Amino acid sequence: MKHRVAIVTGARRGLGEAICYQLAKDGYDIVVNDMVGKEQVDKVVKYIEDNYSVSAIGVMADVSHEDQVLKLLDIVKSRFSRVDVLVNNAAIVEDMEIEERSTDLFNNTIRNNVTSTYLMSKYIGREMFQNKHGKIINISSTNGMNAFFPTSIDYDASKAAVISLTHNFALEYAPYVLVNSIAPGWINTEMNKQLPEELIKEETDKIYLKRFAEVDEVAAFVSFLASDVCSYLNGEVIKLDGGY
Ligand SMILES: NC(=O)c1ccc[n+]([C@@H]2O[C@H](COP(=O)([O-])OP(=O)(O)OC[C@H]3O[C@@H](n4cnc5c(N)ncnc54)[C@H](O)[C@@H]3O)[C@@H](O)[C@H]2O)c1
C-alpha cells in the first residue's frame, strides 16, 4: 500500500525534526529538508526508517530560492507519486537592536522566512490542487500577531507575512487544499538556547502554564491539522502559547 507523503522544511533539528517523527508515526513517508546540516538531516532520515514503517528521504535545499525549490520538487516527484502534506517550518531569527540592524539583514530574514513559504506553497500547493487533495501547514509565531521585543522586528514582520500567505493560499487552492497556520509562543528548542537566563525566567513567568512548549506538543497539533479529522478548518491561525 502506498503511504501518504509529507514534506517538512527546516527539519534537521528542533520543531521540524519533531514534526517529521510525528508524521512518520502517523504513517506518512517523509521528505526531510534543510539548507544546512546534511549529517543531521541524514540522522533524521535514518531515525525515521529505523523506527517507523515508512520511507524517508533527505533533500538539502534553501527553499527561499526558486531554482532549489523546483529541484526539490523534481526529486520528490521522482521518488513519490504525490504530496499530501507540506509543513512550512523553515525560518531564521537573529535578535538585535533596530539601530544595529542593517537593511540587508532585515531583507534577508524577510526573504528567507517569507519567500520560502511562498515558493513552497505555490509549487507544492499547485501539485496538491491538481491531485484535488492536500494540506499546507505554516509555522508562524505569536510574534507575527503582537509586538513583544522590537529586537526581532524583521522576524515578527516575516511571521505576520506567513499569516497573510496562509489566508491567500487557502483562497487560491480552494476547495481542495486546506491551508492553516500555527502560531506558537515560546518553544523549548535550540533557537532559544542562547537567550539570557533572566529573560527565559521572566518569559516563563508570563506563561499561564509556567513553562515553554515542548516540540512534541506543537508536532501533535500539526498531526491534527494534517489528519482527515481536520476537514473544515481552513485559512485559520491557531495560537499555541500556553496562555500568555
Ligand atoms: N523556538 C521557538 O520558541 C519558536 C516559537 C514560535 C515559532 N517558532 C517557529 O518554529 C519553527 C521551527 O523553529 P525551531 O525553534 O525548531 O528553529 P531551528 O532554528 O531549530 O530550526 C529551523 C531550521 O530551519 C532551517 N532553515 C532556515 N531557513 C531555511 C531555508 N530557507 N531553507 C531550508 N531550511 C531552512 C534551519 O537551518 C534550521 O535547521 C520556525 O518557523 C520558528 O520561527 C519557533
Side-chain angles (χ1 to χ4, degrees):
M1 194 192 84
K2 276 195 174 149
H3 295 128
R4 289 185 177 186
V5 177
I7 303 177
V8 185
T9 67
R12 76 185 153 105
R13 66 177 195 182
L15 178 60
E17 179 183 5
I19 292 170
C20 288
Y21 300 151
Q22 176 64 59
L23 294 179
K25 197 166 147 190
D26 294 343
Y28 292 85
D29 288 335
I30 308 289
V31 179
V32 183
N33 156 261
D34 212 293
M35 64 174 173
V36 294
K38 185 171 182 315
E39 264 181 33
Q40 286 167 291
V41 167
D42 289 346
K43 264 193 199 164
V44 175
V45 168
K46 185 168 178 344
Y47 188 88
I48 293 170
E49 292 191 324
D50 288 349
N51 291 278
Y52 306 101
S53 310
V54 298
S55 307
I57 58 166
V59 183
M60 299 307 296
D62 178 337
V63 292
S64 63
H65 292 285
E66 193 158 18
D67 56 333
Q68 298 191 38
V69 168
L70 292 173
K71 262 191 212 154
L72 177 147
L73 184 58
D74 275 351
I75 295 169
V76 172
K77 281 171 90 173
S78 68
R79 175 70 193 267
F80 302 109
S81 54
R82 54 192 265 178
V83 179
D84 299 280
V85 173
L86 164 65
V87 184
N88 285 308
N89 169 78
I92 54 170
V93 64
E94 197 178 352
D95 291 348
M96 69 181 71
E97 297 299 330
I98 290 177
E99 281 305 312
E100 286 168 21
R101 190 181 293 286
S102 68
T103 307
D104 279 352
L105 270 183
F106 180 88
N107 285 340
N108 188 52
T109 306
I110 301 293
R111 187 193 54 74
N112 191 80
N113 297 357
V114 182
T115 309
S116 54
T117 303
Y118 166 71
L119 289 172
M120 289 296 287
S121 304
K122 175 177 173 177
Y123 289 112
I124 309 289
R126 186 191 284 168
E127 295 287 319
M128 291 173 169
F129 184 80
Q130 283 162 3
N131 292 338
K132 300 191 174 178
H133 177 267
K135 299 277 181 72
I136 299 177
I137 299 154
N138 294 325
I139 307 298
S140 177
S141 166
T142 48
N143 286 45
M145 304 169 106
N146 282 302
F148 303 105
F149 301 101
T151 46
S152 58
I153 193 164
D154 52 345
Y155 175 82
D156 295 12
S158 77
K159 291 298 178 178
V162 165
I163 291 172
S164 175
L165 293 179
T166 303
H167 297 320
N168 275 285
F169 277 113
L171 198 53
E172 177 70 8
Y173 289 133
Y176 302 121
V177 185
L178 271 60
V179 187
N180 290 296
S181 179
I182 302 178
W186 290 108
I187 313 170
N188 199 4
T189 68
E190 210 66 33
M191 202 181 232
N192 298 318
K193 289 279 184 326
Q194 80 287 5
L195 292 174
E197 237 175 72
E198 191 55 29
L199 177 71
I200 294 182
K201 196 180 164 310
E202 278 169 25
E203 287 302 300
T204 304
D205 276 348
K206 291 182 199 162
I207 302 168
Y208 297 177
L209 299 183
K210 301 295 171 210
R211 62 177 178 83
F212 284 17
E214 295 303 329
V215 284
D216 292 349
E217 295 176 299
V218 184
F221 209 77
V222 172
S223 167
F224 165 71
L225 292 178
S227 74
D228 291 340
V229 176
C230 179
S231 57
Y232 204 68
L233 189 77
N234 198 13
E236 196 51 78
V237 185
I238 295 111
K239 198 158 71 153
L240 204 72
D241 65 354
Y244 181 96

